Amino acid sequence: MNAPMNDRSSTPPTFEAQVRRAVRDPVPAAVLDRSLAAGEWFAMDTAIATLTNRETVDAAAAGVRGVGDVTTLTFTHERLTIDVEIGTDLAPVVGQVAPVVRATVRLLSPSDTLATTATDGHGMFEFAIAPTGPFSLSIRRSDDGGELVRTEWSAV
Amino acid sequence: MTHIDDTTVTEAATSTHEVSGYSDGQLLERVRRGDRAAWGELVHRHAGRLWAVARSQGLDRDMASDVVQFTWLALVDSAAAIREPESLRAWLVNVAKHEAIRVSKKFNRESPTLDDSPCETADERVEAPEARLEKADDVNAVQAALARLGRRCRSLLQLLFADADLSYAEISEVTGMPIGSIGPRRGRCLAELRRLLES
């Protein structure tokens, strides 16, 4: 700072000024960078499957196979439904596309493709890694002219 | 989860963007048409506010970072569907609030013993007894007292004093406190903080 706004050096700061200093918490540069980078997704002109249902249960309490929270997310776009389960003991991410389609499924973080797989004969897919921050799944159908759908950004 | 480097500050990032004077609605319209500079201006205009909202729910820096990033990604997914572009600020605050509450509840469920634990600033600073006399003008002492304050009071003071430019209406929205009670609570929380500081 080039010059003090006023010369208060002889008087103690007010209590409120002390509180202001104590809670000072500017947004970190890394957070601004991640926020700015999020805008790059505008360039991907992809159909978005929107979240239509979300449930989180404690696996032990609910008698579900898994450890800790199991989150089930359902996304839909027109006739396509994508169900995703995160936290079961089958795999970190398990999903199913309905109606059954052959498709390439990508697990996306805001900055990377984390993993790529394909649906099986039942429309099911799984990933061996779990997302730790916001994630999206892109589904590119092998038939139907390679139609591409991306689930809206989610976090668990 | 991306780890946030505590040593980085925002000066470099904030000094490079230009301020146009466009409203939020005008910027959003430009963003929809692919204007990257408009996106940058929206981010610089609102990121600090979203950060404060996330932090006021007791989230650490990494969790709060994910919440802020998620909020902007949600805007990417919803930009075309936002019906009142001039209410974008309220939309962003609302998304950040709900995501921060969800993350906070999940964290407290998974780590119940940490529920209502002091905030990180207190963990990092252990006060020496001989420092007591110098308390009155000591940021660390105020932070330690804040950490002992009740969670709702601490959250309110963070939102009011963190320089995040939140309106009383937004603070009411984030905390669930009626607007009319924010002023009186502000006084009571400051008094309680002063009592903790002096005890």
Side-chain angles (χ1 to χ4, degrees):
Chain A
M1 196 176 292
N2 296 325
M5 283 191 287
N6 51 16
D7 185 9
R8 293 279 197 81
S9 55
S10 58
T11 52
T14 65
F15 182 53
E16 291 192 9
Q18 287 180 53
V19 174
R20 206 171 290 284
R21 285 212 320 262
V23 301
R24 189 173 181 278
D25 184 19
V27 57
V31 175
L32 276 181
D33 288 344
R34 292 175 76 188
S35 301
L36 290 168
E40 287 167 23
W41 286 94
F42 273 111
M44 320 291 166
D45 195 14
T46 309
I48 302 293
T50 54
L51 183 68
T52 49
N53 192 46
R54 168 179 198 121
E55 283 176 54
T56 298
V57 296
D58 183 292
V64 181
R65 286 168 58 87
V67 179
D69 282 349
V70 174
T71 300
T72 307
L73 306 166
T74 302
F75 303 91
T76 58
H77 172 67
E78 295 176 354
R79 294 166 313 284
L80 191 68
T81 299
I82 304 136
D83 285 303
V84 184
E85 277 190 320
I86 296 175
T88 70
D89 62 0
L90 294 170
V93 179
V94 180
Q96 185 165 27
V97 179
V100 175
V101 290
R102 289 290 189 177
T104 301
V105 185
R106 290 191 168 81
L107 176 61
L108 308 171
S109 79
S111 57
D112 276 311
T113 297
L114 300 174
T116 303
T117 188
T119 57
D120 66 13
H122 303 285
M124 297 192 73
F125 60 88
E126 63 181 53
F127 291 105
I129 57 168
T132 54
F135 74 94
S136 171
L137 295 169
S138 80
I139 293 100
R140 186 182 289 282
R141 295 178 64 159
S142 310
D143 55 353
D144 203 20
E147 185 195 4
L148 180 65
V149 173
R150 179 172 70 69
T151 63
E152 70 176 280
W153 289 101
S154 307
V156 294
Chain B
M1 195 176 287
T2 307
H3 287 278
I4 300 304
D5 180 355
D6 273 312
T7 62
T8 53
V9 286
T10 57
E11 271 71 19
T14 53
S15 63
T16 53
H17 84 288
E18 292 183 14
V19 177
S20 66
Y22 288 122
S23 69
D24 279 356
Q26 289 167 327
L27 287 173
L28 183 59
E29 183 50 38
R30 285 172 170 265
V31 163
R32 286 168 174 163
R33 286 188 268 129
D35 184 336
R36 296 289 304 276
W39 177 261
E41 190 164 349
L42 279 179
V43 167
H44 283 100
R45 189 177 287 183
H46 297 296
R49 194 171 291 115
L50 303 179
W51 175 254
V53 168
R55 294 282 279 162
S56 76
Q57 296 297 330
L59 303 188
D60 70 20
R61 295 166 73 84
D62 290 335
M63 292 191 286
S65 176
D66 279 349
V67 167
V68 174
Q69 183 186 39
F70 171 84
T71 303
W72 293 111
L73 291 164
L75 177 58
V76 171
D77 287 346
S78 303
I82 289 178
R83 289 187 193 149
E84 296 177 43
E86 293 302 344
S87 301
L88 177 63
R89 174 170 161 168
W91 188 93
L92 289 168
V93 166
N94 193 46
V95 170
K97 173 192 115 174
H98 282 288
E99 180 65 5
I101 289 173
R102 188 188 67 74
V103 172
S104 171
K105 280 184 177 165
K106 173 185 151 80
F107 176 75
N108 288 333
R109 214 167 42 240
E110 290 175 352
S111 314
T113 55
L114 294 177
D115 193 3
D116 215 26
S117 68
C119 64
E120 67 199 60
T121 49
D123 295 340
E124 292 162 0
R125 296 176 176 87
V126 178
E127 191 185 1
E130 59 270 27
R132 278 173 157 246
L133 290 174
E134 295 167 38
K135 262 183 179 177
D137 190 24
D138 188 342
V139 168
N140 291 0
V142 179
Q143 288 175 335
L146 272 166
R148 290 161 61 205
L149 202 58
R151 186 182 171 135
R152 283 172 71 79
C153 257
R154 184 168 69 230
S155 169
L156 178 63
L157 294 181
Q158 282 177 333
L159 290 167
L160 283 166
F161 289 99
D163 212 15
D165 191 25
L166 287 152
S167 67
Y168 270 30
E170 285 167 331
I171 291 173
S172 168
E173 162 75 20
V174 170
T175 59
M177 296 174 188
I179 290 185
S181 78
I182 291 174
R185 280 180 205 244
R186 175 187 192 276
R188 283 203 297 276
C189 291
L190 281 173
E192 174 64 10
L193 181 66
R194 190 188 281 275
R195 192 188 65 73
L196 286 169
L197 195 59
E198 288 166 356
S199 67

